[in-house]
C-alpha cells in the first residue's frame, strides 16, 4: 500500500537512481507532487516526530507535536475518520517508534 501511495504522489514517475558501489538503493523523489486528498492534519501544532507502522496491509502514520499530542492517520481510510488525536505527553513528543515484533504498540517519549 505504501508503494501505491508513493505512486499516486508521483503519478508513477518515481524511479530508482543508480545504485552506488555500496549497493544501497536511492530513489529520485524530485518529481513528486502532493494532491489535496493526500494531506491530513494529524496534530494541531508543528510535527516534532513521525513513525510509520510496519504493516504490509495497512498504511498507518503516527505524528507527535510540540505540545505532547499524538495523531494517528489511516492513510487509505478516506473520509471515514482517518485521523485520531490524543495527548499522552505534557512536553514535545521527541521520538516515536512502532516495533516490528510488537506491532500493536506505539512507543513514544
Amino acid at each position: 500500500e505504501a508503494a501505491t501511495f508513493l505512486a499516486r504522489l508521483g503519478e508513477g514517475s518515481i524511479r530508482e537512481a543508480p545504485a552506488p558501489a555500496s549497493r544501497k538503493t536511492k530513489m529520485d523523489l524530485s518529481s513528486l507532487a502532493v494532491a489535496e486528498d493526500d494531506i491530513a492534519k494529524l496534530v494541531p501544532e508543528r510535527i516534532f516526530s513521525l513513525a510509520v507502522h510496519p504493516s504490509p496491509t495497512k498504511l498507518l502514520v503516527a505524528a507527535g507535536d510540540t505540545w505532547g499530542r499524538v495523531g494517528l492517520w489511516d492513510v487509505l481510510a478516506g473520509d471515514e475518520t482517518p485521523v485520531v488525536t490524543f495527548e499522552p505527553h505534557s512536553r514535545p513528543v521527541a521520538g516515536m517508534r512502532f516495533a516490528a515484533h510488537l506491532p500493536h504498540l506505539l512507543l513514544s517519549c
Side-chain angles (χ1 to χ4, degrees), residues 36-105:
E36 190 68 32
D37 291 343
D38 294 325
I39 297 173
K41 182 76 172 170
L42 275 69
V43 287
E45 301 298 326
R46 183 176 52 120
I47 291 178
F48 205 67
S49 57
L50 190 73
V52 178
H53 192 275
S55 171
T57 59
K58 181 178 268 305
L59 186 53
L60 184 65
V61 177
D65 75 7
T66 55
W67 285 90
R69 288 176 287 253
V70 171
L72 295 173
W73 179 24
D74 183 351
V75 176
L76 302 176
D79 294 332
E80 301 175 17
T81 316
V83 176
V84 177
T85 304
F86 53 100
E87 192 170 347
H89 300 281
S90 59
R91 300 206 179 258
V93 182
M96 300 172 40
R97 170 167 262 175
F98 287 104
H101 64 286
L102 297 170
H104 61 284
L105 294 178

